[in-house]
Amino acid sequence: MNAPSAAVPAPERAAPPVTPARAPRGLDERLTAVSDLMDERLTVAALAVAVNTALRVPDVEPVDLADVLRVPAAVQPYRPPVDLYPTPAAAVLQRARARLERDGWCQGATVDEDGARCLYGALRAEAADAAELHDALAVLLETIRRHFPGEETVPGFNDSHGARAVFRVLDQAADLAHARNL
């Protein structure tokens, strides 16, 4: 391989012929020309700003939300009970849900030291008599077994699942009790 002994000059290119732009004649043409020129300049300026700021990292420390927000994660907003269901068992289930929202839900005890209740404790507190409690528990257990076939009792379900499942099952049981006119 032989290297060239002298640099080869690049061929010269002829510059494109410059045609003088005709001067706008009327006011409207001049305003349009200035507007086009300004649009072009603003586009170039915006591009320059984007390029100049693309690699800059701001000197801001990230905010830890734990320092700003201090709300217990399990708290749900209180909604006053609305008696949608005129049937006794459905109303007991609905009032039990409202009690759990208001006073809190717990596992492992019927009522804990803070006043929170389990599913059974809320139903027992809201039922007017043993017949209402029995009907509400029967519908609730049937609803639980539809979605969780391995569950044997209401307290067992309460202690093995979270609050979201408990509230969802209570809503579905109230709907079922109302549909059966219980």
Side-chain angles (χ1 to χ4, degrees):
M1 285 206 195
N2 294 338
S5 59
V8 178
E12 291 186 29
R13 294 185 183 175
V18 178
T19 57
R22 79 172 180 86
R25 295 186 183 160
L27 178 63
D28 289 337
E29 287 183 17
R30 286 186 294 182
L31 287 174
T32 303
V34 169
S35 176
D36 292 342
L37 179 66
M38 291 306 298
D39 286 344
E40 182 180 337
R41 285 184 179 179
L42 287 172
T43 301
V44 170
L47 182 62
V49 168
V51 167
N52 290 337
T53 59
L55 297 177
R56 262 195 197 153
V57 177
D59 297 333
V60 177
E61 293 182 23
V63 176
D64 184 16
L65 289 179
D67 293 337
V68 179
L69 302 174
R70 300 217 185 258
V71 177
V75 172
Q76 295 183 0
Y78 173 70
R79 288 179 277 165
V82 178
D83 287 331
L84 295 177
Y85 300 118
T87 56
V92 168
L93 289 161
Q94 195 172 29
R95 287 194 311 267
R97 185 189 200 290
R99 179 179 288 266
L100 290 177
E101 285 180 347
R102 183 183 64 239
D103 297 341
W105 170 76
C106 70
Q107 290 178 312
T110 305
V111 181
D112 71 359
E113 62 274 355
D114 296 329
R117 295 177 181 269
C118 71
L119 266 172
Y120 177 75
L123 287 172
R124 195 174 72 186
E126 292 298 329
D129 56 20
E132 274 188 5
L133 178 62
H134 179 269
D135 290 343
L137 283 171
V139 173
L140 181 60
L141 186 58
E142 180 182 342
T143 305
I144 289 169
R145 287 182 178 164
R146 282 184 181 183
H147 299 287
F148 304 94
E151 292 297 335
E152 294 295 320
T153 63
V154 172
F157 171 78
N158 182 79
D159 292 344
S160 62
H161 291 83
R164 289 178 59 189
V166 167
F167 286 112
R168 185 174 59 240
V169 165
L170 269 173
D171 289 338
Q172 292 170 354
D175 291 341
L176 181 62
H178 178 68
R180 291 185 178 169
N181 202 23
L182 294 176

